[in-house]
Amino acid sequence: MVKKEIDSETANEIKKELAQLRAQLDSQKKSKKKTSKPKKEKPKKKTSKPKEEKPKKKTSKPKKEKPKKKTKAEIAKAKKEAKAAKEAAEAEAKAAKEAAERTPEDDLEEQFSDEQIRNFQIEKMDMDKLTNKVCEIIADFEDEGMLQSDLWKKLKLNSRDGSRLALRLERRGLISREKILQKGRWTYKLVIEQAPIKLESLVDSPCLTCPVEAKCDFENSYPEPSPLHCQLIEDWVAVEFSKKKK
Ligand code: SF4
C-alpha cells in the first residue's frame, strides 16, 4: 500500500479541529460534574403540639366596700322608725280584725249611751219580770252559756230588742257576753253571772224561823248574830249546794 502524503496546511487544520473537539469534550465533562444529584431534603421535624394556652388567672372580685358605721343618732332614728312602722301595722291589723268581727250589737253600743242601755225598756213589758225570766233561762245553761239568737227566738223578741236587752243585762252585771264565730258569722253567747234568787230556794232558809232574826245584821261583830258568821246559814248553804250538784 502506498502511503499518501498530507500537506502541512491540511495537517494544521486537522490539528485545529481536533483541539476544538477536545475543548468541547472537557467543557461537557465539567458541566456534568456540576449538576450533582439534588440533596434529599430532610423532613422537617414534626412540630410539637401547640402548647395549650393556660387560662388566665381569674381576676379577683372587686372588694366590697364596707358599709359605713352608723352613728348613734342614726341608729336611734332607725329604731324609732321601725317601732312606728310596727305599731302602724299592728293598728291596721287590729282595725281589719275588728271590722271583720263587727256585729249589730257593736253598732248599737255606739248609738246609745250607757244610761240609755241600762234603762232600756221594751214597750208594754215588765222589764223586771223579763230580766228575771232571761236570767233563769240563761242560768240553765250554766257556764256553757247560750246563743243570743236562740234566746230571742224563745222570748219572741226581734234581734234589735234582744240585743239591747242583752246589753242592759250585761251593764247590770247579771250576764256576760262572749263573741263567737257561728256558721261564719260573729255573734254572742250569753253566760249567767248572777243567778236570780228563786223563791222556792228560800223556803228552807233558817232565817225564816230564826229566834234572833230581828237582831241579825251584817254589821254585827261576833258573838252578835250576823249572816257572816252564822253556822245555821253555813249548814243550809252546804245542803242546798249539794242538792244542786245532784
Ligand atoms: S243569818 Fe243566822 S242568825 Fe241571822 S237570821 Fe239567819 S239564821 Fe238567824
Side-chain angles (χ1 to χ4, degrees):
M1 201 172 146
V2 181
K3 207 172 179 182
K4 274 187 178 178
E5 281 187 4
I6 302 168
D7 61 62
S8 59
E9 203 174 316
T10 310
N12 283 336
E13 280 178 7
I14 291 167
K15 282 179 184 177
K16 275 183 183 178
E17 280 178 11
L18 282 169
Q20 279 175 355
L21 285 168
R22 276 180 190 159
Q24 278 178 359
L25 279 169
D26 285 345
S27 68
Q28 278 178 359
K29 278 179 184 176
K30 280 178 185 176
S31 66
K32 273 185 182 178
K33 274 183 183 177
K34 277 181 184 176
T35 54
S36 57
K37 285 181 183 176
K39 280 183 183 176
K40 275 185 184 177
E41 237 180 56
K42 282 184 183 176
K44 280 180 183 176
K45 277 185 182 176
K46 280 182 182 176
T47 53
S48 56
K49 282 183 183 176
K51 281 182 183 177
E52 275 181 20
E53 230 179 64
K54 283 183 182 177
K56 283 179 182 174
K57 276 186 182 177
K58 282 181 182 175
T59 52
S60 57
K61 285 181 182 176
K63 280 182 182 176
K64 278 184 183 176
E65 252 186 42
K66 281 184 181 177
K68 283 180 184 175
K69 274 190 177 179
K70 285 182 178 175
T71 62
K72 276 185 180 178
E74 284 173 334
I75 292 169
K77 190 185 171 192
K79 274 185 182 176
K80 201 177 172 182
E81 284 172 354
K83 193 184 171 190
K86 191 185 170 191
E87 282 174 356
E90 282 175 355
E92 203 175 309
K94 192 183 170 188
K97 187 173 178 273
E98 280 175 0
E101 293 179 5
R102 195 161 181 83
T103 63
E105 288 77 14
D106 297 326
D107 294 332
L108 285 174
E109 276 191 283
E110 284 177 8
Q111 285 173 26
F112 298 101
S113 66
D114 187 60
E115 199 181 336
Q116 283 175 317
I117 290 171
R118 278 175 168 273
N119 298 322
F120 168 65
Q121 294 278 330
I122 298 175
E123 214 176 315
K124 294 177 186 174
M125 274 217 181
D126 183 331
M127 291 307 284
D128 288 335
K129 268 189 181 177
L130 182 61
T131 297
N132 272 335
K133 194 175 179 183
V134 168
C135 288
E136 277 176 25
I137 294 169
I138 299 172
D140 286 342
F141 290 85
E142 299 181 343
D143 293 342
E144 287 294 310
M146 73 181 296
L147 282 176
Q148 62 175 15
S149 52
D150 293 342
L151 182 64
W152 311 153
K153 275 180 201 166
K154 210 167 192 166
L155 296 169
K156 292 178 182 167
L157 292 173
N158 63 47
S159 61
R160 185 176 168 86
D161 283 346
S163 298
R164 289 170 74 182
L165 179 63
L167 284 168
R168 171 187 149 113
L169 299 184
E170 187 191 45
R171 295 291 160 94
R172 291 175 174 228
L174 300 174
I175 63 165
S176 60
R177 298 180 307 141
E178 288 176 22
K179 197 178 255 188
I180 59 164
L181 192 61
Q182 182 75 14
K183 293 178 183 171
R185 290 183 65 185
W186 287 96
T187 184
Y188 282 96
K189 184 173 85 169
L190 309 177
V191 183
I192 195 71
E193 289 294 323
Q194 274 186 42
I197 297 167
K198 291 179 180 173
L199 194 62
E200 54 265 35
S201 67
L202 298 174
V203 170
D204 298 326
S205 165
C207 305
L208 296 176
T209 54
C210 178
V212 292
E213 190 268 336
K215 291 180 187 173
C216 187
D217 196 300
F218 276 94
E219 300 292 319
N220 288 347
S221 49
Y222 192 80
E224 292 298 307
S226 163
L228 297 176
H229 47 258
C230 174
Q231 191 58 48
L232 291 169
I233 281 288
E234 273 183 36
D235 294 344
W236 174 69
V237 168
V239 170
E240 289 298 310
F241 188 70
S242 63
K243 274 185 196 172
K244 270 198 170 184
K245 271 195 164 181
K246 289 171 191 173

